[in-house]
Amino acid sequence: MGSKNKLKRFRENEGFDNVIQPSREEIKNGFSLRGKWAEHFGNDNPIVLELGCGKGEYTVGLAQRDGSKNFIGIDIKGARLWRGAKTAMEENMSNVAFLRTQIELVDEVFAENEISEIWITFPDPQIKYKRTKHRMTNKSFLTKYRSILKADGKMHLKTDSEFMHGYTLGLLHGLGLEVTYANHDVYKNEGSPKEVLELQTFYEKQYLEIGKPITYIQFKVN
């Protein structure tokens, strides 16, 4: 993407009511929406996050399927999440928001028990050992997710990476956490939730075209 297009999208994001872009300093000094996301949406409906949302395809897709919940896509790449934000604006979707920030700050932008579900869709598996601290399902991140999820909160991991799938399952079992569903090839085995099968990201479609298996885990951290 050219720099002119990026700048244009950054400017449009600033005018979108559904895009929140706090600075790191604002977050560290006490983020104004932490614990008050219900006020932002104007209701007490359950809040669902998509971490590393990219273009926001899953965030928007989930919101289109279920108007009884609020959905927030989080990504640091403003030029990417612009696409989902623009679609949600064009379709007058009041149950969608996008937050531009780093994933590691998730426990500083949401309060305890504020979130009902978290989706992690096609994260970078960070295969090299020295990159373990950046894996979005490592022990440190799971602790952050636990701190903001309700007691019955759900976690979802959908990925094309067999490594990420296996790593996460092994970690969850080692920590004694509940795995409610796991599938190493969701399109060849029965039983996967509809939102796993019927919603596909741009990259997922490319993976499927070359026959790459898509894996999925649903689990709890509380």
Side-chain angles (χ1 to χ4, degrees):
M1 181 188 300
S3 59
K4 287 185 178 180
N5 281 337
K6 282 188 176 181
L7 290 173
K8 180 182 177 182
R9 291 184 176 188
F10 290 154
R11 286 194 298 270
E12 289 193 22
N13 280 343
E14 291 175 0
F16 289 161
D17 292 337
N18 61 2
V19 176
I20 299 96
Q21 304 184 88
S23 67
R24 197 177 184 95
E25 183 179 3
E26 287 178 285
I27 293 172
K28 291 296 183 180
N29 289 333
F31 183 47
S32 60
L33 283 175
R34 186 175 189 265
K36 298 180 180 178
W37 282 97
E39 293 180 19
H40 172 79
F41 287 107
N43 58 62
D44 292 320
N45 293 342
I47 298 174
V48 181
L49 305 183
E50 184 192 5
L51 304 181
C53 68
K55 296 180 180 181
E57 296 144 300
Y58 240 83
T59 301
V60 172
L62 289 169
Q64 289 171 331
R65 293 173 61 92
D66 192 348
S68 68
K69 297 178 182 178
N70 298 316
F71 298 84
I72 303 173
I74 304 177
D75 207 294
I76 193 59
K77 303 284 181 138
R80 290 184 184 175
L81 63 78
W82 165 89
R83 179 62 269 171
K86 187 173 179 64
T87 297
M89 288 290 289
E90 290 173 342
E91 297 186 11
N92 296 313
M93 300 176 67
S94 60
N95 65 330
V96 181
F98 289 89
L99 178 62
R100 187 186 180 197
T101 193
Q102 293 91 349
I103 304 301
E104 61 264 27
L105 299 177
V106 69
D107 56 337
E108 297 185 54
V109 292
F110 299 102
E112 185 178 355
N113 298 319
E114 193 167 22
I115 303 303
S116 294
E117 293 183 51
I118 295 177
W119 282 82
I120 303 174
T121 53
F122 300 94
D124 186 332
Q126 307 286 0
I127 292 176
K128 293 183 179 180
Y129 179 76
K130 64 181 181 181
R131 301 290 295 176
T132 301
K133 66 180 182 179
H134 297 290
R135 291 177 198 153
M136 289 176 62
T137 57
N138 69 26
K139 188 175 180 180
S140 176
F141 273 115
L142 293 180
T143 299
K144 290 177 182 289
Y145 306 151
R146 181 184 299 117
S147 73
I148 63 174
L149 277 168
K150 295 182 183 297
D152 58 348
K154 297 178 183 178
M155 292 285 309
H156 308 265
L157 172 66
K158 188 178 184 183
T159 175
D160 64 302
S161 171
E162 294 180 7
F163 168 82
M164 189 70 169
H165 182 79
Y167 164 81
T168 303
L169 276 179
L171 183 61
L172 294 173
H173 288 312
L175 293 172
L177 298 174
E178 181 182 356
V179 175
T180 52
Y181 184 82
N183 196 323
H184 68 279
D185 193 341
V186 296
Y187 293 101
K188 287 190 177 179
N189 299 314
E190 296 181 357
S192 295
K194 287 185 178 181
E195 62 267 30
V196 174
L197 300 176
E198 295 176 1
L199 295 180
Q200 297 177 359
T201 68
F202 171 79
Y203 292 109
E204 180 178 357
K205 292 174 183 176
Q206 290 188 325
Y207 298 145
L208 291 173
E209 286 179 3
I210 61 175
K212 198 169 188 180
I214 304 299
T215 73
Y216 170 72
I217 308 172
Q218 184 181 124
F219 60 99
K220 295 184 178 181
V221 292
N222 292 314

